[in-house]
Amino acid sequence: MKSYYRIILISYFITLSVVTKNTFAQTGWEVCSQGKTNNQNYSPNYSMITPHNPFNVVHYKLYFDLYNNFLTPFPRSFNASEVVTFRVDTALSSIHLDAVNTSLTIDSVGLSAISFTHTNNNINIQLDNMYQPDDTVSVKIFYRHLNVSDQAFYVGNGFVFTTNAPEGARKWFPCVDHPSDKATFELIAKFPSTVKFGSNGRLADSVQIADTIYHHWISRDPIATYLMTLSGKVNYNLDILYWQNPFSPGDSIPVRFYWNTGENISNLNNIKTQIMPMMTHYSNLFGEYPFEKNGFATLNNLFPWGGMEDQSLIHLCPNCWDEALVAHEFGHQWFGDLISPATWSDVWLNEGFATYCEALWLEYTNGYSAYKQEINIHAQNYFGGNPGWPIYNPSWSVVTPGINTLYNFAITYVKGSCVLHMLRYVVGDSLFFEILHSYASDPIYKYDIVNTSILNDKVNSVTGEDYDWFFDQWVYSPNHPVYQNTYSFSGSNMDWDVALTINQTQQNTVFFEMPVEIKIKFFDLTDTTFIAMNDTNNRLFSFHFNKQPTELVFDPNNEIVLKISNTVLVSANEDENIPSEFILEQNYPNPFNPNTIIRYQLPETGFVTLKVFDVLGNEVAALVNEEKTAGSYEIEFNSHSDESQNLPAGRQGLSSGIYFYQLKVENKFIETKKLVLMK
Ligand SMILES: [Zn+2]
């Protein structure tokens, strides 16, 4: 599913010779259609009973008389009957189905059903027996859809269509309206013969009698109820192409295009052209296209979304033959449709993956830089709209939240996509694509349901390593790392050290353990890049080089796309870090009168003396004479004082001339430098 959205972003990437600073300032928002903001396909009460049913629906067979809905005055009411077949898990003599009272009136029940009540959006059906585990039972329900606008069954101007996500199916047929209870689906419907009509699965049969036509659609593959659909229109345009299945030579899969007269034909033709390599490419990435047909239908302005990934019949907004939108919705055929979310807490497994598919398609058509540019835009959209909750919210599995929360663009869509990019960065391309393929085509889960821990387990099993920490940080915890890094260079000639402290300052989430690329540029215009594992906060990384470094770039390729980062060069003596070597610096100022500063660094604790001598070797001052811990120090030398500087008795001050100062660390280091007093 995808909304309309627009992006405005302003990004600055400032690179100076000694300071690297990434400053992001952006805003992103969704322009929601009227239908989206008014979408009422959820209610906090709806989901309370569905996940724990003692039975599992295996098949829905619907009989709809939609003849009048296509004719003026376009009523929303229709007569229907339905056979629900279910397998018993726990002995039972009654069942509950979801059915919204304001949309549906139940007239009678049959087959194994003997009576019913319909209150609080639930039908309680009494069965004719106590049924035992593994029994298969069918009930028949005769009902009417009322002439109401319910944001699920849409009628308008020759159009009839449905859109369910997340919980609208119960407004047009009684069902167990939860994504974990997938079932096969069958629809026999009656229309005027001028209507072209589509549904899930394949068109099994069409019978025309005078001005009336009956279509019989069957999906052999199980579908989550939010993906069950129908759409039809008087004088709809319908083109059928065929994808030659490279995995099964000689086999082809129909691709249906339902479209409205007046739409942009060149955009439509582009999709007709691109869908063939897209089907092949996605099949290569995720496993062979899993359904018996593929299809797209543009609807009218009543449709509340940009697109909806109804299984094997994707719905699009009018004239929306947009390649990115199609890349997204078609990705859902695996992520959401083939493997459906066990609960709504797992909705990011749909939307994060489908959003990531947009970038993958760009990578296929335009190369890696186009992919990465798209991921960067996803990150900008996250920063523009991050509401501060995590991707995975356990409570959503109990009470389905409002759609602006469940389908929050910044979290469920683009943060999910960025997390997949960072997973790719962390495990590497080869393992990442192996994970994608194995996850999407695992025979244990396909045509069934998945959850976030199944994905986590898949990452662990494919890589042979434990990536729970990655999920804990990026999926189960909110927000993102904020880096305030410092680095310093020290050394001379062919002996240089780089000290980098990676520091995360965020207070609103956990510490983010991540491998970080570090790029060092040198005075000779060469550079080198390596990876530092930032596994504890405030960790100091030290690197040694045989040429002078001029710049350090933190995460030069912006692989950790969800971060705020500032990396600053500090001079060695301002750096509070432990120095990497003994250093005695030249005093400053020099020549001096009467005061000068002497700085020195100790990489370890030692007994330190710092003394000043005249040219004859006489000690004229002892500035330090004690044990010092590792660190950077400075001391002021005053040529006048004979008290604080511990001058020999009787000496009131030094005369102009050359002197020497010597730093000595017992058994470890000694160095002497010259200083000039000029009165
Ligand atoms: Zn989507």
Side-chain angles (χ1 to χ4, degrees):
M1 182 192 307
K2 200 172 176 193
S3 311
Y4 305 96
Y5 65 93
R6 290 180 59 196
I7 304 152
I8 284 192
L9 61 91
I10 307 163
S11 71
Y12 303 98
F13 188 81
I14 301 171
T15 305
L16 303 176
S17 61
V18 293
V19 178
T20 303
K21 179 182 285 187
N22 297 354
T23 305
F24 295 95
Q26 66 283 307
T27 176
W29 69 88
E30 298 176 64
V31 177
C32 303
S33 66
Q34 179 190 3
K36 178 170 185 294
T37 50
N38 293 334
N39 192 311
Q40 294 162 0
N41 281 344
Y42 75 94
S43 158
N45 296 323
Y46 280 3
S47 300
M48 298 304 285
I49 67 160
T50 43
H52 306 295
N53 281 336
F55 63 95
N56 182 25
V57 177
V58 294
H59 189 65
Y60 295 100
K61 186 169 187 177
L62 306 180
Y63 302 84
F64 281 10
D65 182 353
L66 300 176
Y67 191 93
N68 289 325
N69 306 95
F70 289 93
L71 305 177
T72 53
F74 306 115
R76 299 182 185 89
S77 52
F78 65 89
N79 293 329
S81 65
E82 173 189 24
V83 175
V84 181
T85 302
F86 56 92
R87 196 192 65 245
V88 176
D89 292 330
T90 307
L92 53 74
S93 59
S94 67
I95 61 167
H96 283 282
L97 296 175
D98 299 301
V100 172
N101 285 78
T102 51
S103 288
L104 302 179
T105 293
I106 312 301
D107 291 322
S108 63
V109 293
L111 296 178
S112 294
I114 53 173
S115 66
F116 72 96
T117 58
H118 184 202
T119 56
N120 297 325
N121 305 317
N122 280 282
I123 312 175
N124 183 12
I125 296 175
Q126 288 298 317
L127 304 175
D128 57 359
N129 242 315
M130 173 67 80
Y131 288 94
Q132 300 302 318
D134 294 331
D135 284 349
T136 298
V137 185
S138 292
V139 297
K140 188 159 190 175
I141 303 166
F142 296 89
Y143 69 98
R144 285 168 285 142
H145 186 272
L146 304 176
N147 188 23
V148 293
S149 173
D150 58 15
Q151 317 295 321
F153 185 80
Y154 289 87
V155 178
N157 229 7
F159 245 119
V160 173
F161 64 90
T162 61
T163 190
N164 300 346
E167 296 178 338
R170 63 190 74 181
K171 293 176 177 175
W172 55 280
F173 65 102
C175 56
V176 175
D177 199 6
H178 191 272
S180 65
D181 194 349
K182 296 170 78 165
T184 50
F185 180 78
E186 190 172 355
L187 172 65
I188 297 169
K190 173 187 173 186
F191 326 94
S193 60
T194 52
V195 167
K196 294 241 176 24
F197 184 87
S199 184
N200 310 102
R202 74 180 192 281
L203 179 59
D205 196 17
S206 291
V207 176
Q208 184 168 351
I209 302 171
D211 68 345
T212 301
I213 193 163
Y214 296 82
H215 282 320
H216 183 183
W217 286 86
I218 301 175
S219 174
R220 68 173 184 205
D221 302 314
I223 314 177
T225 49
Y226 78 95
L227 298 167
M228 295 175 180
T229 196
L230 59 85
S231 57
K233 185 191 175 187
V234 175
N235 297 326
Y236 227 166
N237 298 289
L238 171 61
D239 301 325
I240 304 175
L241 306 180
Y242 291 86
W243 175 63
Q244 301 304 321
N245 184 351
F247 299 89
S248 179
D251 208 11
S252 63
I253 288 182
V255 187
R256 290 180 161 245
F257 293 88
Y258 297 85
W259 53 280
N260 300 300
T261 300
E263 293 183 338
N264 186 313
I265 297 299
S266 103
N267 289 348
L268 170 61
N269 286 339
N270 177 56
I271 298 303
K272 286 179 176 175
T273 303
Q274 294 296 338
I275 194 62
M276 302 303 170
M278 193 183 289
M279 290 181 78
T280 302
H281 184 54
Y282 282 15
S283 294
N284 283 326
L285 290 179
F286 314 136
E288 183 178 346
Y289 178 72
F291 304 122
E292 55 207 308
K293 83 149 188 312
N294 186 11
F296 298 87
T298 46
L299 299 173
N300 65 13
N301 286 326
L302 294 173
F303 181 56
W305 302 98
M308 177 63 211
E309 66 271 21
D310 296 310
Q311 186 164 309
S312 75
L313 180 59
I314 289 163
H315 284 112
L316 305 173
C317 49
N319 203 19
C320 293
W321 298 105
D322 176 80
E323 199 170 316
L325 178 63
V326 167
H328 176 108
E329 304 302 341
F330 187 58
H332 273 306
Q333 297 305 306
W334 286 263
F335 303 107
D337 295 16
L338 178 63
I339 47 174
S340 302
T343 75
W344 291 117
S345 292
D346 302 293
V347 66
W348 81 282
L349 299 178
N350 291 9
E351 300 305 343
F353 278 73
T355 305
Y356 188 70
C357 283
E358 297 175 50
L360 286 178
W361 180 245
L362 278 173
E363 183 174 9
Y364 178 76
T365 55
N366 293 67
Y368 184 84
S369 63
Y371 156 89
K372 188 60 202 326
Q373 194 173 7
E374 179 72 12
I375 294 294
N376 289 344
I377 290 170
H378 295 173
Q380 306 279 9
N381 277 273
Y382 161 76
F383 283 111
N386 172 28
W389 61 69
I391 286 177
Y392 186 93
N393 297 275
S395 66
W396 295 2
S397 69
V398 181
V399 178
T400 307
I403 56 163
N404 290 330
T405 300
L406 185 66
Y407 295 113
N408 182 276
F409 189 67
I411 297 295
T412 306
Y413 290 71
V414 288
K415 187 176 187 186
S417 171
C418 291
V419 166
L420 289 173
H421 169 76
M422 291 188 290
L423 180 64
R424 177 176 177 175
Y425 160 65
V426 167
V427 304
D429 274 17
S430 170
L431 286 172
F432 176 75
F433 286 106
E434 192 179 332
I435 289 165
L436 277 192
H437 193 281
S438 177
Y439 168 66
S441 61
D442 190 324
I444 294 174
Y445 303 115
K446 68 178 181 177
Y447 301 105
D448 207 335
I449 56 176
V450 287
N451 61 33
T452 302
S453 68
I454 288 171
L455 175 65
N456 188 348
D457 290 345
K458 183 62 76 177
V459 172
N460 293 352
S461 66
V462 170
T463 60
E465 293 183 33
D466 184 345
Y467 279 96
D468 293 3
W469 57 271
F470 182 92
F471 283 78
D472 288 343
Q473 295 169 186
W474 293 109
V475 178
Y476 297 113
S477 300
N479 298 316
H480 51 268
V482 178
Y483 294 95
Q484 284 289 346
N485 308 316
T486 55
Y487 69 98
S488 62
F489 298 139
S490 59
S492 60
N493 299 326
M494 295 180 63
D495 187 13
W496 287 90
D497 289 296
V498 175
L500 166 68
T501 301
I502 302 180
N503 179 32
Q504 294 181 25
T505 62
Q506 68 275 4
Q507 301 291 319
N508 56 6
T509 185
V510 297
F511 170 78
F512 285 77
E513 174 181 345
M514 283 294 276
V516 186
E517 287 186 342
I518 306 294
K519 182 176 194 172
I520 307 284
K521 298 181 180 177
F522 299 99
F523 78 105
D524 61 1
L525 303 182
T526 60
D527 60 64
T528 184
T529 299
F530 48 86
I531 290 180
M533 190 63 203
N534 180 212
D535 51 5
T536 55
N537 204 4
N538 254 321
R539 182 168 162 191
L540 171 68
F541 296 86
S542 299
F543 315 105
H544 190 86
F545 299 102
N546 61 2
K547 53 188 172 182
Q548 184 178 359
T550 55
E551 184 184 350
L552 180 150
V553 187
F554 181 80
D555 193 15
N557 298 309
N558 191 30
E559 299 287 9
I560 306 173
V561 285
L562 300 184
K563 72 173 183 309
I564 301 293
S565 139
N566 190 18
T567 299
V568 179
L569 175 68
V570 293
S571 64
N573 47 46
E574 291 170 354
D575 190 351
E576 294 177 357
N577 303 323
I578 305 301
S580 58
E581 60 179 355
F582 292 101
I583 294 175
L584 176 64
E585 292 189 28
Q586 187 63 52
N587 65 305
Y588 183 83
N590 188 41
F592 70 98
N593 179 37
N595 302 318
T596 189
I597 301 288
I598 298 171
R599 291 173 174 149
Y600 62 96
Q601 293 182 17
L602 309 176
E604 55 188 287
T605 299
F607 193 89
V608 176
T609 58
L610 178 58
K611 294 180 177 177
V612 182
F613 301 91
D614 63 20
V615 290
L616 300 175
N618 299 311
E619 180 184 322
V620 297
L623 304 178
V624 180
N625 189 26
E626 61 184 344
E627 186 168 272
K628 293 277 192 188
T629 56
S632 300
Y633 297 91
E634 67 175 46
I635 191 159
E636 187 174 9
F637 174 44
N638 185 326
S639 63
H640 280 314
S641 170
D642 63 349
E643 293 168 7
S644 64
Q645 306 300 337
N646 194 26
L647 293 179
R651 190 179 290 275
Q652 293 302 307
L654 300 175
S655 53
S656 294
I658 294 172
Y659 295 84
F660 298 93
Y661 61 102
Q662 183 180 70
L663 177 71
K664 198 171 180 181
V665 184
E666 198 169 60
N667 299 325
K668 290 171 183 163
F669 180 76
I670 184 164
E671 185 165 358
T672 305
K673 286 185 184 298
K674 187 165 69 178
L675 73 171
V676 178
L677 173 60
M678 194 173 288
K679 287 187 172 176

